[in-house]
Amino acid sequence: MSKPTDLVQGTLDMLILKVIALEPMHGWAIAQRIRQMSGEVLQVGQGALYPALHKLEQSAWITSEWAVSDNGRRAKYYTLTEAGRQVLAHETAQWERLAAAISLIVRTA
C-alpha cells in the first residue's frame, strides 16, 4: 500500500510549475507551498525537489536567479518561463483527463 506522502510518478514537475506560476519562489518555499496547498498531505523532500528543479531548468521551463529572501539570506528564486507555462497547461489538461478516468473506474468498481 502506498504512503500518502508519495507523489504519483511524474507529478512533481507539474506541481512545481503550478506553484511558481503564482510567483517566483525559492526551493524551501516551493516545498512549503506544495505541503500547504495539498492540505498537509504531500511533503516534498530536498532529495526530490532540487533534482526536479535542476531538470526543469535544464529543460528551459524555469529560470533561476539569486536574491535576498524575506529572512535576509541569499536564496535561488525560480520563475516559470513561457515554455514552462505552455507545458504546465498541457500537463494540467492531461492530469485532469487521467484523474477523471481513474475516478470513473474507482467509483463504479
Side-chain angles (χ1 to χ4, degrees):
M1 189 59 79
S2 66
K3 297 178 284 185
T5 55
D6 289 345
L7 289 173
V8 176
Q9 189 170 3
T11 58
L12 179 58
D13 293 352
M14 181 178 64
L15 296 176
I16 292 170
L17 295 175
K18 179 67 178 178
V19 166
I20 64 172
L22 304 172
E23 62 181 319
M25 287 186 193
H26 54 74
W28 185 85
I30 293 169
Q32 293 303 307
R33 183 67 59 90
I34 290 172
R35 185 177 57 79
Q36 291 168 346
M37 291 176 75
S38 71
E40 311 290 327
V41 173
L42 302 177
Q43 297 181 18
V44 181
Q46 291 183 3
L49 179 64
Y50 288 101
L53 288 169
H54 181 72
K55 186 180 76 174
L56 293 171
E57 195 168 16
Q58 291 293 316
S59 299
W61 297 343
I62 65 174
T63 59
S64 66
E65 66 179 320
W66 290 94
V68 178
S69 66
D70 292 339
N71 64 9
R73 292 184 170 175
R74 281 178 37 91
K76 201 171 189 180
Y77 282 77
Y78 298 92
T79 303
L80 190 64
T81 65
E82 183 53 38
R85 199 167 301 281
Q86 292 174 8
V87 168
L88 175 59
H90 176 75
E91 292 297 317
T92 300
Q94 290 289 92
W95 173 257
E96 289 173 349
R97 195 175 121 244
L98 177 63
I102 292 171
S103 184
L104 283 172
I105 294 169
V106 170
R107 289 185 180 165
T108 57

mmCIF file of all heavy atoms in Angstrom, residues 25-60:
data_model
loop_
_atom_site.group_PDB
_atom_site.id
_atom_site.type_symbol
_atom_site.label_atom_id
_atom_site.label_comp_id
_atom_site.label_asym_id
_atom_site.label_seq_id
_atom_site.Cartn_x
_atom_site.Cartn_y
_atom_site.Cartn_z
ATOM 1 N N MET A 25 9.675 31.748 -6.529
ATOM 2 C CA MET A 25 9.911 31.243 -5.172
ATOM 3 C C MET A 25 11.247 30.528 -5.090
ATOM 4 O O MET A 25 11.732 29.994 -6.079
ATOM 5 C CB MET A 25 8.836 30.221 -4.787
ATOM 6 C CG MET A 25 7.498 30.781 -4.507
ATOM 7 S SD MET A 25 6.442 29.458 -3.923
ATOM 8 C CE MET A 25 4.900 30.302 -4.065
ATOM 9 N N HIS A 26 11.779 30.456 -3.872
ATOM 10 C CA HIS A 26 12.979 29.645 -3.643
ATOM 11 C C HIS A 26 12.552 28.232 -3.258
ATOM 12 O O HIS A 26 11.360 27.982 -2.983
ATOM 13 C CB HIS A 26 13.897 30.284 -2.601
ATOM 14 C CG HIS A 26 13.234 30.613 -1.297
ATOM 15 N ND1 HIS A 26 12.904 29.659 -0.377
ATOM 16 C CD2 HIS A 26 12.840 31.800 -0.789
ATOM 17 C CE1 HIS A 26 12.347 30.237 0.664
ATOM 18 N NE2 HIS A 26 12.282 31.550 0.443
ATOM 19 N N GLY A 27 13.497 27.303 -3.253
ATOM 20 C CA GLY A 27 13.183 25.892 -3.066
ATOM 21 C C GLY A 27 12.394 25.577 -1.813
ATOM 22 O O GLY A 27 11.399 24.846 -1.857
ATOM 23 N N TRP A 28 12.808 26.096 -0.690
ATOM 24 C CA TRP A 28 12.114 25.802 0.570
ATOM 25 C C TRP A 28 10.666 26.275 0.489
ATOM 26 O O TRP A 28 9.748 25.572 0.922
ATOM 27 C CB TRP A 28 12.847 26.469 1.740
ATOM 28 C CG TRP A 28 12.260 26.112 3.059
ATOM 29 C CD1 TRP A 28 12.532 25.004 3.809
ATOM 30 C CD2 TRP A 28 11.281 26.858 3.789
ATOM 31 N NE1 TRP A 28 11.776 25.012 4.948
ATOM 32 C CE2 TRP A 28 11.001 26.139 4.971
ATOM 33 C CE3 TRP A 28 10.611 28.056 3.567
ATOM 34 C CZ2 TRP A 28 10.087 26.587 5.911
ATOM 35 C CZ3 TRP A 28 9.697 28.502 4.508
ATOM 36 C CH2 TRP A 28 9.449 27.774 5.675
ATOM 37 N N ALA A 29 10.461 27.455 -0.066
ATOM 38 C CA ALA A 29 9.100 27.991 -0.179
ATOM 39 C C ALA A 29 8.246 27.141 -1.116
ATOM 40 O O ALA A 29 7.050 26.963 -0.877
ATOM 41 C CB ALA A 29 9.144 29.439 -0.664
ATOM 42 N N ILE A 30 8.859 26.606 -2.175
ATOM 43 C CA ILE A 30 8.111 25.727 -3.090
ATOM 44 C C ILE A 30 7.627 24.492 -2.340
ATOM 45 O O ILE A 30 6.462 24.113 -2.432
ATOM 46 C CB ILE A 30 8.991 25.334 -4.302
ATOM 47 C CG1 ILE A 30 9.273 26.564 -5.169
ATOM 48 C CG2 ILE A 30 8.338 24.217 -5.109
ATOM 49 C CD1 ILE A 30 10.348 26.343 -6.230
ATOM 50 N N ALA A 31 8.516 23.867 -1.578
ATOM 51 C CA ALA A 31 8.132 22.671 -0.814
ATOM 52 C C ALA A 31 7.034 22.996 0.194
ATOM 53 O O ALA A 31 6.080 22.224 0.360
ATOM 54 C CB ALA A 31 9.352 22.086 -0.115
ATOM 55 N N GLN A 32 7.155 24.137 0.862
ATOM 56 C CA GLN A 32 6.141 24.526 1.847
ATOM 57 C C GLN A 32 4.802 24.802 1.178
ATOM 58 O O GLN A 32 3.747 24.438 1.695
ATOM 59 C CB GLN A 32 6.607 25.769 2.619
ATOM 60 C CG GLN A 32 7.800 25.508 3.505
ATOM 61 C CD GLN A 32 7.527 24.387 4.497
ATOM 62 O OE1 GLN A 32 6.546 24.406 5.221
ATOM 63 N NE2 GLN A 32 8.401 23.389 4.500
ATOM 64 N N ARG A 33 4.827 25.455 0.026
ATOM 65 C CA ARG A 33 3.579 25.783 -0.673
ATOM 66 C C ARG A 33 2.874 24.498 -1.132
ATOM 67 O O ARG A 33 1.661 24.384 -1.012
ATOM 68 C CB ARG A 33 3.865 26.685 -1.874
ATOM 69 C CG ARG A 33 2.622 27.136 -2.631
ATOM 70 C CD ARG A 33 1.707 28.079 -1.865
ATOM 71 N NE ARG A 33 2.345 29.289 -1.457
ATOM 72 C CZ ARG A 33 2.399 30.420 -2.145
ATOM 73 N NH1 ARG A 33 1.829 30.487 -3.319
ATOM 74 N NH2 ARG A 33 3.017 31.476 -1.657
ATOM 75 N N ILE A 34 3.640 23.530 -1.638
ATOM 76 C CA ILE A 34 3.039 22.255 -2.048
ATOM 77 C C ILE A 34 2.395 21.577 -0.837
ATOM 78 O O ILE A 34 1.279 21.078 -0.906
ATOM 79 C CB ILE A 34 4.084 21.338 -2.724
ATOM 80 C CG1 ILE A 34 4.460 21.910 -4.099
ATOM 81 C CG2 ILE A 34 3.566 19.896 -2.838
ATOM 82 C CD1 ILE A 34 5.628 21.208 -4.779
ATOM 83 N N ARG A 35 3.092 21.584 0.280
ATOM 84 C CA ARG A 35 2.550 20.974 1.503
ATOM 85 C C ARG A 35 1.268 21.682 1.933
ATOM 86 O O ARG A 35 0.252 21.039 2.213
ATOM 87 C CB ARG A 35 3.596 21.030 2.621
ATOM 88 C CG ARG A 35 3.169 20.307 3.898
ATOM 89 C CD ARG A 35 4.274 20.339 4.945
ATOM 90 N NE ARG A 35 4.700 21.678 5.297
ATOM 91 C CZ ARG A 35 4.046 22.487 6.135
ATOM 92 N NH1 ARG A 35 2.957 22.082 6.713
ATOM 93 N NH2 ARG A 35 4.498 23.696 6.390
ATOM 94 N N GLN A 36 1.292 23.003 1.944
ATOM 95 C CA GLN A 36 0.120 23.769 2.375
ATOM 96 C C GLN A 36 -1.055 23.582 1.418
ATOM 97 O O GLN A 36 -2.187 23.360 1.847
ATOM 98 C CB GLN A 36 0.475 25.249 2.470
ATOM 99 C CG GLN A 36 1.421 25.574 3.594
ATOM 100 C CD GLN A 36 1.971 26.989 3.490
ATOM 101 O OE1 GLN A 36 1.859 27.644 2.464
ATOM 102 N NE2 GLN A 36 2.582 27.453 4.573
ATOM 103 N N MET A 37 -0.781 23.678 0.114
ATOM 104 C CA MET A 37 -1.865 23.585 -0.873
ATOM 105 C C MET A 37 -2.481 22.186 -0.923
ATOM 106 O O MET A 37 -3.633 22.040 -1.341
ATOM 107 C CB MET A 37 -1.363 23.997 -2.264
ATOM 108 C CG MET A 37 -1.051 25.477 -2.368
ATOM 109 S SD MET A 37 -0.358 25.957 -3.967
ATOM 110 C CE MET A 37 -1.822 25.887 -4.996
ATOM 111 N N SER A 38 -1.731 21.170 -0.497
ATOM 112 C CA SER A 38 -2.256 19.801 -0.505
ATOM 113 C C SER A 38 -2.930 19.451 0.813
ATOM 114 O O SER A 38 -3.292 18.284 1.021
ATOM 115 C CB SER A 38 -1.121 18.807 -0.792
ATOM 116 O OG SER A 38 -0.234 18.717 0.313
ATOM 117 N N GLY A 39 -3.083 20.408 1.670
ATOM 118 C CA GLY A 39 -3.703 20.129 2.969
ATOM 119 C C GLY A 39 -2.807 19.282 3.853
ATOM 120 O O GLY A 39 -3.300 18.428 4.579
ATOM 121 N N GLU A 40 -1.512 19.489 3.746
ATOM 122 C CA GLU A 40 -0.501 18.791 4.549
ATOM 123 C C GLU A 40 -0.322 17.321 4.125
ATOM 124 O O GLU A 40 0.292 16.556 4.861
ATOM 125 C CB GLU A 40 -0.832 18.850 6.053
ATOM 126 C CG GLU A 40 -1.177 20.225 6.580
ATOM 127 C CD GLU A 40 0.025 21.167 6.622
ATOM 128 O OE1 GLU A 40 1.148 20.685 6.855
ATOM 129 O OE2 GLU A 40 -0.167 22.376 6.415
ATOM 130 N N VAL A 41 -0.848 16.927 2.987
ATOM 131 C CA VAL A 41 -0.741 15.526 2.555
ATOM 132 C C VAL A 41 0.577 15.275 1.825
ATOM 133 O O VAL A 41 1.251 14.281 2.066
ATOM 134 C CB VAL A 41 -1.927 15.142 1.648
ATOM 135 C CG1 VAL A 41 -1.734 13.747 1.056
ATOM 136 C CG2 VAL A 41 -3.226 15.218 2.430
ATOM 137 N N LEU A 42 0.963 16.175 0.929
ATOM 138 C CA LEU A 42 2.172 15.985 0.126
ATOM 139 C C LEU A 42 3.348 16.716 0.746
ATOM 140 O O LEU A 42 3.271 17.915 1.011
ATOM 141 C CB LEU A 42 1.939 16.496 -1.294
ATOM 142 C CG LEU A 42 0.783 15.850 -2.058
ATOM 143 C CD1 LEU A 42 0.614 16.515 -3.421
ATOM 144 C CD2 LEU A 42 1.001 14.359 -2.202
ATOM 145 N N GLN A 43 4.412 15.974 0.990
ATOM 146 C CA GLN A 43 5.630 16.568 1.526
ATOM 147 C C GLN A 43 6.770 16.225 0.573
ATOM 148 O O GLN A 43 7.042 15.055 0.338
ATOM 149 C CB GLN A 43 5.908 16.040 2.926
ATOM 150 C CG GLN A 43 4.812 16.431 3.884
ATOM 151 C CD GLN A 43 5.068 15.956 5.295
ATOM 152 O OE1 GLN A 43 6.191 15.633 5.646
ATOM 153 N NE2 GLN A 43 4.028 15.923 6.092
ATOM 154 N N VAL A 44 7.402 17.259 0.046
ATOM 155 C CA VAL A 44 8.479 17.072 -0.925
ATOM 156 C C VAL A 44 9.809 17.296 -0.225
ATOM 157 O O VAL A 44 10.078 18.379 0.283
ATOM 158 C CB VAL A 44 8.338 18.054 -2.108
ATOM 159 C CG1 VAL A 44 9.440 17.824 -3.121
ATOM 160 C CG2 VAL A 44 6.970 17.923 -2.745
ATOM 161 N N GLY A 45 10.628 16.277 -0.189
ATOM 162 C CA GLY A 45 11.941 16.374 0.424
ATOM 163 C C GLY A 45 12.946 17.020 -0.514
ATOM 164 O O GLY A 45 12.734 17.067 -1.734
ATOM 165 N N GLN A 46 14.046 17.495 0.058
ATOM 166 C CA GLN A 46 15.082 18.138 -0.744
ATOM 167 C C GLN A 46 15.674 17.181 -1.769
ATOM 168 O O GLN A 46 16.071 17.604 -2.851
ATOM 169 C CB GLN A 46 16.190 18.661 0.162
ATOM 170 C CG GLN A 46 15.760 19.812 1.022
ATOM 171 C CD GLN A 46 16.910 20.345 1.860
ATOM 172 O OE1 GLN A 46 18.039 19.886 1.755
ATOM 173 N NE2 GLN A 46 16.615 21.309 2.715
ATOM 174 N N GLY A 47 15.731 15.896 -1.426
ATOM 175 C CA GLY A 47 16.296 14.893 -2.330
ATOM 176 C C GLY A 47 15.499 14.718 -3.608
ATOM 177 O O GLY A 47 16.034 14.252 -4.613
ATOM 178 N N ALA A 48 14.233 15.079 -3.578
ATOM 179 C CA ALA A 48 13.399 15.021 -4.781
ATOM 180 C C ALA A 48 13.238 16.403 -5.406
ATOM 181 O O ALA A 48 13.220 16.542 -6.628
ATOM 182 C CB ALA A 48 12.016 14.456 -4.439
ATOM 183 N N LEU A 49 13.148 17.425 -4.558
ATOM 184 C CA LEU A 49 12.861 18.776 -5.053
ATOM 185 C C LEU A 49 13.990 19.351 -5.907
ATOM 186 O O LEU A 49 13.755 19.800 -7.037
ATOM 187 C CB LEU A 49 12.577 19.714 -3.879
ATOM 188 C CG LEU A 49 12.288 21.165 -4.262
ATOM 189 C CD1 LEU A 49 11.017 21.265 -5.087
ATOM 190 C CD2 LEU A 49 12.197 22.029 -3.009
ATOM 191 N N TYR A 50 15.204 19.339 -5.395
ATOM 192 C CA TYR A 50 16.285 20.030 -6.100
ATOM 193 C C TYR A 50 16.680 19.353 -7.418
ATOM 194 O O TYR A 50 16.934 20.055 -8.408
ATOM 195 C CB TYR A 50 17.467 20.283 -5.170
ATOM 196 C CG TYR A 50 17.087 21.371 -4.188
ATOM 197 C CD1 TYR A 50 16.695 21.064 -2.893
ATOM 198 C CD2 TYR A 50 17.044 22.699 -4.581
ATOM 199 C CE1 TYR A 50 16.294 22.058 -2.003
ATOM 200 C CE2 TYR A 50 16.642 23.700 -3.714
ATOM 201 C CZ TYR A 50 16.274 23.372 -2.422
ATOM 202 O OH TYR A 50 15.857 24.362 -1.567
ATOM 203 N N PRO A 51 16.702 18.014 -7.484
ATOM 204 C CA PRO A 51 16.925 17.405 -8.814
ATOM 205 C C PRO A 51 15.819 17.768 -9.804
ATOM 206 O O PRO A 51 16.086 17.990 -10.982
ATOM 207 C CB PRO A 51 16.936 15.900 -8.512
ATOM 208 C CG PRO A 51 17.367 15.811 -7.087
ATOM 209 C CD PRO A 51 16.749 17.019 -6.419
ATOM 210 N N ALA A 52 14.577 17.848 -9.319
ATOM 211 C CA ALA A 52 13.461 18.218 -10.213
ATOM 212 C C ALA A 52 13.632 19.660 -10.684
ATOM 213 O O ALA A 52 13.423 19.955 -11.868
ATOM 214 C CB ALA A 52 12.135 18.043 -9.492
ATOM 215 N N LEU A 53 14.002 20.563 -9.783
ATOM 216 C CA LEU A 53 14.228 21.963 -10.177
ATOM 217 C C LEU A 53 15.351 22.057 -11.210
ATOM 218 O O LEU A 53 15.240 22.802 -12.187
ATOM 219 C CB LEU A 53 14.559 22.815 -8.946
ATOM 220 C CG LEU A 53 13.389 23.098 -8.010
ATOM 221 C CD1 LEU A 53 13.888 23.706 -6.706
ATOM 222 C CD2 LEU A 53 12.361 24.008 -8.673
ATOM 223 N N HIS A 54 16.398 21.302 -10.983
ATOM 224 C CA HIS A 54 17.526 21.311 -11.928
ATOM 225 C C HIS A 54 17.070 20.823 -13.303
ATOM 226 O O HIS A 54 17.404 21.421 -14.333
ATOM 227 C CB HIS A 54 18.659 20.441 -11.378
ATOM 228 C CG HIS A 54 19.863 20.414 -12.258
ATOM 229 N ND1 HIS A 54 20.708 21.487 -12.407
ATOM 230 C CD2 HIS A 54 20.335 19.444 -13.061
ATOM 231 C CE1 HIS A 54 21.661 21.177 -13.261
ATOM 232 N NE2 HIS A 54 21.461 19.943 -13.665
ATOM 233 N N LYS A 55 16.298 19.745 -13.312
ATOM 234 C CA LYS A 55 15.800 19.188 -14.577
ATOM 235 C C LYS A 55 14.880 20.190 -15.294
ATOM 236 O O LYS A 55 14.977 20.371 -16.509
ATOM 237 C CB LYS A 55 15.047 17.884 -14.308
ATOM 238 C CG LYS A 55 14.614 17.157 -15.576
ATOM 239 C CD LYS A 55 13.888 15.876 -15.260
ATOM 240 C CE LYS A 55 12.494 16.246 -14.805
ATOM 241 N NZ LYS A 55 11.591 15.153 -14.577
ATOM 242 N N LEU A 56 14.019 20.847 -14.550
ATOM 243 C CA LEU A 56 13.106 21.829 -15.148
ATOM 244 C C LEU A 56 13.885 23.013 -15.714
ATOM 245 O O LEU A 56 13.530 23.561 -16.757
ATOM 246 C CB LEU A 56 12.085 22.310 -14.111
ATOM 247 C CG LEU A 56 11.077 21.260 -13.639
ATOM 248 C CD1 LEU A 56 10.277 21.791 -12.460
ATOM 249 C CD2 LEU A 56 10.161 20.842 -14.770
ATOM 250 N N GLU A 57 14.951 23.390 -15.032
ATOM 251 C CA GLU A 57 15.779 24.494 -15.518
ATOM 252 C C GLU A 57 16.537 24.073 -16.768
ATOM 253 O O GLU A 57 16.651 24.856 -17.721
ATOM 254 C CB GLU A 57 16.742 24.946 -14.408
ATOM 255 C CG GLU A 57 17.367 26.277 -14.688
ATOM 256 C CD GLU A 57 18.081 26.859 -13.474
ATOM 257 O OE1 GLU A 57 18.353 26.123 -12.507
ATOM 258 O OE2 GLU A 57 18.368 28.057 -13.504
ATOM 259 N N GLN A 58 17.023 22.847 -16.794
ATOM 260 C CA GLN A 58 17.716 22.330 -17.983
ATOM 261 C C GLN A 58 16.774 22.270 -19.187
ATOM 262 O O GLN A 58 17.198 22.437 -20.329
ATOM 263 C CB GLN A 58 18.285 20.934 -17.706
ATOM 264 C CG GLN A 58 19.425 20.912 -16.726
ATOM 265 C CD GLN A 58 20.664 21.587 -17.275
ATOM 266 O OE1 GLN A 58 21.026 21.379 -18.422
ATOM 267 N NE2 GLN A 58 21.313 22.404 -16.468
ATOM 268 N N SER A 59 15.511 22.040 -18.932
ATOM 269 C CA SER A 59 14.505 21.987 -19.995
ATOM 270 C C SER A 59 14.033 23.369 -20.422
ATOM 271 O O SER A 59 13.215 23.489 -21.334
ATOM 272 C CB SER A 59 13.285 21.182 -19.530
ATOM 273 O OG SER A 59 13.648 19.867 -19.220
ATOM 274 N N ALA A 60 14.528 24.408 -19.738
ATOM 275 C CA ALA A 60 14.168 25.810 -20.016
ATOM 276 C C ALA A 60 12.701 26.095 -19.699
ATOM 277 O O ALA A 60 12.113 26.998 -20.280
ATOM 278 C CB ALA A 60 14.517 26.216 -21.448
#
